[in-house]
Amino acid sequence: MPSRILSFGRSHLPPHRDTKARPDHPEDLTDIDPADPKPHSAAMDFLHFGSKEKRQSGSGHTTPKHKGSPSMAPTKAAKIDILIESPPCVFYGGTNSSGALFSGQLRLVVTDPEVRLMSLDMDLKGNTATKKPVAKDCPDCINKTSVLKSWSFITEQTTYPQGTHQLPFSYLLPGHLPATTHSSLANIDYAFDVKAVTTLADTITHHYPLRVQRALQPNPEKQSVRIFPPTNLTVNVIHTQIIHPIGSFLVQFRMNGVVTKDRDTQIRWRVRKLDWRIDEHTRNISPACPKHAHKVGGEGKGQQHEDIRMIGNGSLKKGWKTDFDAVGGGQIEMEFPAAIRSNGNPVCDVDSPTGLNVTHSLILEIIVAEEHAKGMNAKHTVPTGSARVLRTQFKVVVTERGGLGVSWDEEIPPMYEDVPISPPGYATTVTDYQGEELPVPPEEELENMGIRD
């Protein structure tokens, strides 16, 4: 058995092995007795028990490793924060909106005994980032940034003691700007970038994103009529054009001309199924930087990308009323609610001059089947096997809810010239009565009235 174990550990061993231990292993200096029936060897100890290091690792004891102390980031002498005091920035109306007025305070928190600043500037920037640029790794093709407003809070070296210092600011965002948008092809964002430079050449920065929304006022319901030749079918749909990411809206559907009468026969159309869905259509033009303008045919040009996705859908197989005897060739009418899915992540309608355009449409697909009947008032019909799919779409606008908010120009008090003329005042002087002498009642009547004692 020992020879087999040794041959497994080492396939070729010389017939006479030196049993003396090597000088670099002092634990193997013990002499081996040739009379021992169970001779020991280093290979047997290794195979049966493993090395000393493995035994130590197997027992769960490891040699501790000393790590250096973690590097600490240098602390800044001051911190910058922005506090917005005005309501959320919402444009009420379309591109002709009066804008959104916001105000806030730039807070400078000095942690050192004092800090000396050479400059303290803040920029309000608008950035458009395309997700399919002309050059994949070119930052100039991906981002287009413009500065909308700049503030310089100090013009000379200024010392601020320890504590919190507040610097007010305000701005009127123009109403023609696109709202904050995160679509599948491009993003539009607004943010404040603050930069302060100390006398020690230290730079203190702060980035504060600003969300801009647009809310359209609800308008009257729109009525649309669609005709489907060569049949006599006419679809009349009444729906609202302004919808919101959260909440449902009603769609009224009526189909006329479902009966065509001859002398002895009738051709009828029955609704078998109605499918509706809301599609989001996104188009974006990715501009090229001057370096990569040759890929699109010159400067001022770009690549157009389109994306269509469904953000809400539904299917109805019942719920309509059919009247084949109605005036005008019979009619089928119904009313159903439609809404955007809760996980649809819709993007509000936007038309940006940077090339991003997002629109929505309500699509209806009605499956009708043809039936044949004999007689003018036949109750038994026979399906002819013919069916049609009537498809139509209507434009809808997805926008945020305006809530109880009003535009900033409707909140300000009236100006002096807008105050109307006040009503005439009353006379302040008293004059004697110049008319006829009034009759004096008798004393008895005066006593009864309690005027005289």
Side-chain angles (χ1 to χ4, degrees), residues 172-194:
L172 176 61
L173 274 173
H176 67 274
L177 295 176
T180 301
T181 305
H182 293 162
S183 66
S184 58
L185 297 179
N187 295 338
I188 299 177
D189 295 290
Y190 300 91
F192 292 99
D193 286 333
V194 187

Side-chain angles (χ1 to χ4, degrees), residues 345-368:
N345 297 325
V347 179
C348 294
D349 283 50
V350 64
D351 188 7
S352 173
T354 59
L356 178 62
N357 180 269
V358 180
T359 57
H360 298 82
S361 59
L362 172 65
I363 300 176
L364 300 181
E365 292 183 355
I366 308 103
I367 300 177
V368 294

Side-chain angles (χ1 to χ4, degrees), residues 47-58:
L47 293 175
H48 283 284
F49 304 104
S51 63
K52 184 177 180 180
E53 291 78 11
K54 289 187 178 181
R55 290 197 301 270
Q56 291 179 355
S57 63

Side-chain angles (χ1 to χ4, degrees), residues 94-378:
T95 55
N96 57 350
S97 172
S98 59
L101 180 65
F102 72 92
S103 60
Q105 292 186 2
L106 177 66
R107 295 191 299 182
L108 178 65
V109 182
V110 180
T111 56
D112 286 1
E114 66 177 18
V115 62
R116 296 182 180 180
L117 298 182
M118 297 293 295
S119 63
L120 179 57
D121 302 327
M122 182 176 69
D123 295 333
L124 174 59
K125 299 180 180 180
N127 181 68
T128 301
T130 178
K131 297 183 179 180
K132 293 184 178 181
V134 176
K136 183 178 180 181
D137 300 327
C138 178
D140 295 334
C141 292
I142 298 175
N143 297 298
K144 299 296 181 182
T145 305
S146 60
V147 178
L148 303 178
K149 177 66 176 177
S150 299
W151 291 268
S152 295
F153 294 98
I154 59 175
T155 57
E156 58 183 8
Q157 180 178 337
T158 307
T159 302
Y160 291 94
Q162 186 177 18
T164 302
H165 307 273
Q166 297 181 349
L167 305 172
F169 65 91
S170 63
Y171 181 60
L172 176 61
L173 274 173
H176 67 274
L177 295 176
T180 301
T181 305
H182 293 162
S183 66
S184 58
L185 297 179
N187 295 338
I188 299 177
D189 295 290
Y190 300 91
F192 292 99
D193 286 333
V194 187
K195 181 179 180 181
V197 181
T198 65
T199 55
L200 302 178
D202 293 336
T203 303
I204 305 172
T205 60
H206 182 66
H207 180 81
Y208 184 88
L210 177 66
R211 185 182 181 187
V212 179
Q213 299 174 303
R214 185 179 298 277
L216 301 179
Q217 300 299 328
N219 54 3
E221 294 181 341
K222 182 180 180 181
Q223 181 176 0
S224 304
V225 179
R226 299 289 189 270
I227 302 174
F228 299 93
T231 64
N232 296 328
L233 297 176
T234 302
V235 174
N236 191 333
V237 177
I238 301 176
H239 66 96
T240 179
Q241 286 186 289
I242 305 297
I243 63 176
H244 307 286
I246 300 177
S248 60
F249 60 97
L250 291 178
V251 179
Q252 300 178 13
F253 167 82
R254 186 176 71 251
M255 179 182 294
N256 297 325
V258 295
V259 178
T260 302
K261 297 181 179 180
D262 292 334
R263 293 183 179 180
D264 298 330
T265 60
Q266 296 182 10
I267 300 298
R268 298 178 178 179
W269 294 94
R270 287 186 181 272
V271 175
R272 296 302 184 186
K273 185 179 179 182
L274 187 146
D275 295 332
W276 64 267
R277 72 175 187 269
I278 301 175
D279 284 352
E280 182 179 280
H281 191 186
T282 304
R283 292 187 298 270
N284 182 52
I285 298 177
S286 301
C289 66
K291 182 179 178 181
H292 300 95
H294 63 278
K295 293 185 177 181
V296 293
E299 296 186 7
K301 298 183 180 180
Q303 295 177 350
Q304 182 174 350
H305 304 277
E306 295 188 10
D307 179 45
I308 300 177
R309 67 188 187 100
M310 182 177 61
I311 59 176
N313 67 313
S315 180
L316 301 172
K317 295 183 179 180
K318 60 181 180 178
W320 48 81
K321 297 187 297 183
T322 304
D323 185 5
F324 292 117
D325 298 329
V327 179
Q331 69 178 13
I332 300 173
E333 58 182 358
M334 69 176 303
E335 184 179 86
F336 61 92
I340 299 175
R341 294 196 310 264
S342 58
N343 59 348
N345 297 325
V347 179
C348 294
D349 283 50
V350 64
D351 188 7
S352 173
T354 59
L356 178 62
N357 180 269
V358 180
T359 57
H360 298 82
S361 59
L362 172 65
I363 300 176
L364 300 181
E365 292 183 355
I366 308 103
I367 300 177
V368 294
E370 187 183 36
E371 296 179 349
H372 182 269
K374 293 184 178 181
M376 300 303 296
N377 297 320

